[in-house]
Amino acid sequence: MNFGKIARISGALTRSLKRFQHGSEVVTASNQSLPPNLVLYGISKEQFEPESQQEEVKSPGPETPIIRKCNGEIPKNKSPITVWVDSFKNVEQQRQVSAQLHPLIFGAHPRMDILHEVMRWQQRYRDVNYTWSRTRAELGRGKQKPWPQKGTGRVRQGSRAGPGWKMGGIAHGPRGPVSLYYKPADDVILKGLTIALTVKLVQDDLIVVDDVEIPEADTNFFNDVINSRNLSENSLLFMHAENDFPQNLSEIVSNSRTLSLMPASALNVWSMLKHDKLILPLSMLDDLETKILWHMNRYPWLGKPHNFYKDMPGKKGLKFEQEQYLAEQQRESDENVSQ
Amino acid sequence: MLLLVKQHLNRSQTRLTSVLTSNNSGVAYTISKEEFKWIRRLLPPSIIPKPPLHSNYPTPSGWSPPTETSLDLPYFISRTRYHEFPVYEITKRNGQTMTHIRKIEGDIWAFERDLIGIIHPYLDFDPATRVHEVAGIVSVKGNFKAVITQYLREKGF
C-alpha cells in the first residue's frame, strides 16, 4: 500500500504546510481558502458566511516597520514570524507596525496529540479518587463468634463481618482518598505550550498589542475598541508582563464573564484553548521567549533541588554572579567571532 | 561573653559546653563577596554551551557544524540540543537492530527515498523503513547509523 499517495492527496494542505514549516509565509485562516465540502457549525459558520466575509487581511510586508525583534537564536531553516502590533489606545484597529515572533515558539510543528495530552493533564492532575470501603475491622460489629467452633455441623466462623459474609467487610477494596496526580515529561508540557501558541497564531486568534492597559476604565470606550475589532462575541484572554499590572483593564475584566486577565507566568494550554482570542503585550514577549528557549536548550536537571545553576533566567539570588557569568560568555563569543 | 550551649553528640547523648561569643556592640566588620567566586566555579551551568570555533573541520573527534547547503533540499534535519545528529540505533533483545532518524521537517517522503538510495548498496533486499509523518521520524531496520550520519554531514545538516 503506497502511503505516499495518501499523503499527497490534499496537495494544497501539504503545500501550505511546507511553506509554513520553511517559514517563508505565515499561513493564517484568513489568507487560505476553505474547501467547498467543509461543514461548519455554530459561530464559525457565521464568521465564514459570504455575506459577512471580511476583506482579506494582509500580512505585514517588508515595508512595515518592525518595532520588536526576536532575541533568541533562530534556526537556519526558519525565519521569524511577523505579526501586526495593535494598540488599545485607538478605537480603530491599527495595522501600521509589526513585531517578530520566534518560529520555534509561534511556528512549532502542530502535534495535536501532544496538545490533547497537555490539555487533559491540566484537567486531570488535580483529580482525587475518594472511594473508600470498610474492611472487616471497620464495620463496627462482629467481634462475637456466631456459633460454637464444633458441633453445629456448619463451617467454623469467627465473626459475621468477614469478606465471605453478606454485608461483610471488603478485603481488597479501595482504601481512602488516592491522588491521581501525574506529570508528563517536561518536554511534553513545553511543546504543548508552543503548539497552543502556534495554533492561536495560525487561526487568527492571537493579537499582539503594544500595551495591554487601556487609557481609562471606561466600559463604553472598551466596548468600542472590542467591537471595531469584531471581538464582541469572543472570549478574550489578556496577558500582562509580571510587574506590569493593568489597573484599568482589570476593573473591566473583573466585571465580565468572558474576559480574563493573567500574568505571563500563568500562561497555560487549557486557558488558551478555552478562550477564543489570546492577547499578548510586547513587554511580555522577551521574557516568554527567553524562558521557553532556555528550557529547550538546557541540560537535564541534576537531581533536586535544581536551583543552584549559575545561569538560570530570572534567578534572583545569584543575580550578581549570573551577570558576571553571562558577561564572560559574551566576551568569549565576541572573541570567537573576531577570530 | 560566655554561654552554656547544649551540644548534641548523637541521638541519645547531649552535653553542656561553654561557648565564647563576640559582643555585637561596637565591633567593626566588613562584608566581602569576593570569596563567593570559589563557590561560583563549582556551580554547574544550565545552558548547553555552543561549540567553540575551530580553524579546521572536522574536529579530531569527527564533529563538524551545519552548513548552508542543507537549505537546498526539500527536507531539513535539525541538530539536537547537544549539536549532534538526531540518529539513534537501538538493539532489541532478540538481536535485531533499528536506526531512528528524528527531527525531520518538510517532505519526509523525499528523505525516505534518499535514505533508501543510500542504504541499498549495503543490502540485497529492499530496506524496511517506517515513516512517522506526525512525529517526523523515519526508522530503518538494521544498523546504519554511520552511513546515515555521513550522508547528513555531506549534505550540511
Side-chain angles (χ1 to χ4, degrees), chain A residues 3-4 7-8 21-22 73 76-78 109 111 187 294-300 302 308-312 318 321 324-325 328 336-337, chain B residues 33 36 40-41 43-50 52-53 66-68 70-71 73-74 76 81-82 105-107 109 113 133-135 156:
Chain A
F3 290 100
R8 280 172 224 129
Q21 284 167 347
H22 280 254
E73 212 185 301
K76 285 193 295 119
N77 62 323
K78 291 183 153 52
H109 183 53
R111 288 280 301 270
D187 297 334
W294 174 71
H295 273 295
M296 286 175 171
N297 295 317
R298 61 168 170 80
Y299 287 113
L302 281 173
F308 45 77
Y309 297 98
K310 54 185 162 187
D311 54 2
M312 271 176 81
L318 296 173
E321 282 73 28
Q324 286 200 330
Y325 175 72
E328 259 176 51
N336 278 339
V337 167
Chain B
K33 292 190 177 175
F36 194 78
R40 189 159 62 84
R41 319 167 40 209
L43 295 175
S46 65
I47 300 168
I48 295 163
K50 286 179 214 164
L53 284 174
T67 64
E68 295 290 325
S70 54
L71 298 170
L73 290 161
F76 188 82
R81 63 180 76 182
Y82 300 102
E105 296 157 25
D107 193 351
W109 294 99
R113 267 180 264 125
E133 282 189 71
V134 173

Side-chain angles (χ1 to χ4, degrees), chain B residues 8-98:
Chain B
H8 294 272
L9 298 170
N10 52 44
R11 271 206 161 170
S12 51
Q13 290 178 353
T14 56
R15 73 172 176 212
L16 284 174
T17 51
S18 56
V19 174
L20 202 67
T21 59
S22 60
N23 192 356
N24 279 332
S25 64
V27 175
Y29 61 90
T30 54
I31 295 170
S32 168
K33 292 190 177 175
E34 286 299 313
E35 298 293 310
F36 194 78
K37 71 180 179 199
W38 303 111
I39 298 169
R40 189 159 62 84
R41 319 167 40 209
L42 305 171
L43 295 175
S46 65
I47 300 168
I48 295 163
K50 286 179 214 164
L53 284 174
H54 290 82
S55 49
N56 290 320
Y57 290 112
T59 59
S61 67
W63 184 85
S64 57
T67 64
E68 295 290 325
T69 53
S70 54
L71 298 170
D72 303 328
L73 290 161
Y75 47 85
F76 188 82
I77 296 161
S78 35
R79 298 273 182 120
T80 62
R81 63 180 76 182
Y82 300 102
H83 315 289
E84 295 282 353
F85 290 112
V87 183
Y88 309 95
E89 61 187 32
I90 58 156
T91 313
K92 291 185 176 181
R93 290 183 78 85
N94 57 7
Q96 281 180 10
T97 51
M98 282 191 78

Side-chain angles (χ1 to χ4, degrees), chain A residues 173-203:
Chain A
R175 295 295 296 154
V178 171
S179 158
L180 301 176
Y181 171 83
Y182 74 102
K183 197 179 177 194
D186 283 340
D187 297 334
V188 171
I189 299 171
L190 186 72
K191 271 188 184 170
L193 200 68
T194 56
I195 292 163
L197 287 167
T198 308
V199 160
K200 282 286 171 223
L201 173 68
V202 165
Q203 295 181 338

Side-chain angles (χ1 to χ4, degrees), chain A residues 46-57:
Chain A
E46 287 157 15
Q47 284 178 343
F48 288 112
E49 280 293 303
E51 293 91 59
S52 67
Q53 189 86 43
Q54 300 291 317
E55 283 175 18
E56 259 206 40
V57 175

